[in-house]
Amino acid sequence: MGCFVSTPKDTGGNRKRPSNIGEVSVFVPGLRIPKNVDFSQALGDQLSKSLVERLSALRTRIVVMAAQEAPTITRTRRRTATQHGGSTLGDLLQALEDYLPVLLGLVKDGSPLQHKVQFVWDNQEDEAEETAMYSAWYEVLSVLHLMAMLSLSQANLLLLPRTSADGYQPKISEESRRSAIDIFLKAAGYLDCAVRHVLPQLPSEVRRNLPVDLAEGVLRALCLQALGQGVDIQLGLAIDSTKATLAVKRRLSCEMVKYWQQAQDNLMNLPLANGWGAKHRLFVKWKYIEAKAAAYYYHGLILDEGNTEKSHGMAVAALQAADKYLKESKKACEAFNTSVPVSRNPPLWGTMKYLSEKIPKDTSSKVRINRDLYSSEKIMETAPTLPDFSLALKPEECQLPTVDAAWNEETNKAQLNLEKLKG
């Protein structure tokens, strides 16, 4: 019960990691891939042949599709994103959605069947090559995690700038950006469901032995990462809108800081030492610094609207902080891209394209004006505290699906058989 096996990465395993993952707008720490399972051997004498065959067929389809998709998921496929890449991801997501209601029959009403099958998955962020567990809840958790990673991959494809029809600066359509927000909320929903509804079902011993890919901290961090990137797009849309006020942009950027800070806190004490894990940590660090640059910039602009020497001095300090974080974010970005597997930035777009031009220019201008007006003592040496806003963007509500109707028939048959034996 809860028995597990983890294969260390140095025991001759064949886990393959790419050396280069191309352009990254949304970081996906690889795909955990399921290995084949013999349901008939484990369940053949406990379930009907038709249900065993259905479980086998649904899962085999996922094993085959995931194995085909894994090598390409981490490579930029801008050219085929809509024709091939997007649809393939969608097909695999649909296969997982088809499998989940049937799989949940193994855990229905605390069924002992949940401990009969050994489920095996390749890891990405963990030191162990793979983790095998006699736990159907482990399988449910792995399925939800994979659904979230596929969703983040879909968002990445949507957010890689494409050359416009007029041949000028590559851009991302408003439709693609709004679609990406919906996908981020869906990914966050899968992860939130995993944390709230699946992890509590696992005994503490099993939870301790989960690969780091499925650790609560990683699941929460990925959920917050999805929400943080969703707010980033909202901020970009606000920047493009003539109706959005500075107050709206400041609020969005301050919320973004909180999402990334919480994501970083959740990863803090986890053993993310190998390639994917280390790169994941660097991505969150980079985005956290980038968010602070945006927040201090808009906070500075609002403070500069004040009519006192103090507010102007605070504005200069905030803008200088924005400029400092912008420079730091470029270094953090470089550290992320050069860590293995190496990656590169797509052409600048959205929030950071705008801010990378505005922050240095406005900071220089405001500092010069205010230093001409006031003595240097009026300019604060430290940045003012950012305002604290409650987080508005929430994961899409996600509940585990209802157990497939085939299990009701299975239960009825079992009851009839029991009654025959009694009779």
Side-chain angles (χ1 to χ4, degrees):
M1 204 165 122
C3 179
F4 72 96
V5 179
S6 289
T7 307
K9 67 174 181 179
D10 297 324
T11 57
N14 61 356
R15 173 166 56 177
K16 294 178 182 177
R17 289 203 177 103
S19 58
N20 189 319
I21 56 175
E23 292 182 347
V24 173
S25 278
V26 181
F27 178 64
V28 181
L31 293 186
R32 295 184 74 246
I33 304 300
K35 297 287 191 71
N36 280 314
V37 164
D38 189 346
F39 283 105
S40 58
Q41 184 177 0
L43 301 171
D45 59 347
Q46 314 217 23
L47 293 175
S48 66
K49 183 181 177 183
S50 62
L51 188 52
V52 171
E53 287 178 348
R54 190 167 172 213
L55 273 167
S56 297
L58 288 167
R59 196 176 191 279
T60 299
R61 182 181 174 215
I62 292 165
V63 170
V64 171
M65 292 176 72
Q68 290 173 344
E69 192 67 12
T72 57
I73 198 78
T74 50
R75 291 205 299 268
T76 302
R77 290 177 296 169
R78 184 186 303 171
R79 183 174 58 83
T80 57
T82 52
Q83 300 170 3
H84 170 70
S87 63
T88 305
L89 292 173
D91 291 344
L92 182 48
L93 263 171
Q94 186 60 54
L96 291 160
E97 287 178 12
D98 293 343
Y99 173 52
L100 201 49
V102 185
L103 168 65
L104 285 169
L106 292 175
V107 299
K108 183 181 178 183
D109 300 325
S111 169
L113 294 177
Q114 65 184 283
H115 306 298
K116 295 291 185 182
V117 183
Q118 187 183 51
F119 294 100
V120 188
W121 288 71
D122 281 345
N123 300 316
Q124 293 294 345
E125 298 192 90
D126 198 88
E127 285 295 307
E129 174 117 356
E130 64 181 36
T131 300
M133 288 188 172
Y134 282 94
S135 170
W137 280 117
Y138 165 62
E139 176 82 344
V140 173
L141 186 63
S142 298
V143 166
L144 286 173
H145 178 270
L146 181 52
M147 290 170 78
M149 295 308 96
L150 292 170
S151 298
L152 292 179
S153 300
Q154 286 181 323
N156 186 54
L157 290 173
L158 281 172
L159 297 177
L160 293 177
R162 291 167 175 76
T163 304
S164 57
D166 55 17
Y168 289 105
Q169 182 70 31
K171 60 181 68 173
I172 296 166
S173 69
E174 182 174 329
E175 180 186 1
S176 290
R177 287 188 279 173
R178 292 192 183 280
S179 295
I181 293 174
D182 292 338
I183 292 172
F184 282 132
L185 297 184
K186 189 177 284 291
Y190 294 141
L191 295 159
D192 185 58
C193 178
V195 170
R196 292 194 299 117
H197 301 302
V198 181
L199 280 181
Q201 301 291 339
L202 294 166
S204 57
E205 180 197 357
V206 175
R207 288 184 67 164
R208 280 196 302 272
N209 291 308
L210 286 171
V212 73
D213 308 57
L214 301 180
E216 183 174 349
V218 169
L219 298 177
R220 288 187 182 277
L222 285 166
C223 178
L224 290 157
Q225 170 184 326
L227 296 173
Q229 294 209 258
V231 176
D232 191 354
I233 298 174
Q234 287 182 332
L235 178 57
L237 292 169
I239 288 170
D240 290 347
S241 170
T242 55
K243 296 178 181 178
T245 63
L246 280 179
V248 167
K249 295 169 192 173
R250 179 176 67 173
R251 180 183 179 112
L252 288 170
S253 57
C254 287
E255 286 183 35
M256 193 160 58
V257 169
K258 286 180 74 172
Y259 284 118
W260 287 110
Q261 181 177 18
Q262 289 178 20
Q264 186 168 264
D265 290 346
N266 274 285
L267 296 179
M268 191 69 70
N269 298 314
L270 294 173
L272 293 169
N274 69 53
W276 282 119
K279 196 170 183 74
H280 189 179
R281 201 190 294 277
L282 288 169
F283 181 75
V284 172
K285 179 183 178 182
W286 163 34
K287 290 298 176 180
Y288 177 42
I289 296 170
E290 204 173 69
K292 286 201 280 189
Y296 276 109
Y297 173 70
Y298 286 112
H299 190 39
L301 293 186
I302 287 178
L303 287 170
D304 198 53
E305 291 179 339
N307 294 319
T308 65
E309 290 184 29
K310 182 180 179 182
S311 66
H312 290 158
M314 291 169 70
V316 168
L319 290 168
Q320 287 177 322
D323 196 47
K324 182 191 80 167
Y325 284 123
L326 181 65
K327 290 171 182 170
E328 280 185 25
S329 77
K330 291 175 182 175
K331 293 177 184 175
C333 172
E334 182 66 18
F336 165 74
N337 282 324
T338 54
S339 70
V340 179
V342 297
S343 53
R344 64 183 184 274
N345 280 3
L348 269 182
W349 63 277
T351 304
M352 287 317 296
K353 183 177 189 302
Y354 176 82
L355 293 179
S356 64
E357 297 167 359
K358 294 291 287 181
I359 288 175
K361 179 181 173 184
D362 287 356
T363 300
S364 174
S365 171
K366 299 292 183 187
V367 168
R368 186 178 65 254
I369 292 169
N370 282 289
R371 282 195 169 148
D372 286 346
L373 290 173
Y374 311 119
S375 63
S376 59
E377 292 80 33
K378 298 294 182 183
I379 307 298
M380 292 177 63
E381 292 299 318
T382 56
T385 304
L386 290 172
D388 185 21
F389 298 104
S390 59
L391 298 175
L393 207 59
K394 304 292 182 188
E396 182 178 291
E397 184 62 32
C398 177
Q399 298 285 341
L400 291 173
T402 305
V403 174
D404 190 272
W407 284 94
N408 295 331
E409 297 171 17
E410 200 73 19
T411 304
N412 292 337
K413 286 178 188 174
Q415 286 174 342
L416 285 171
N417 290 336
L418 188 61
E419 287 170 10
K420 285 178 183 176
L421 288 172
K422 286 179 179 178

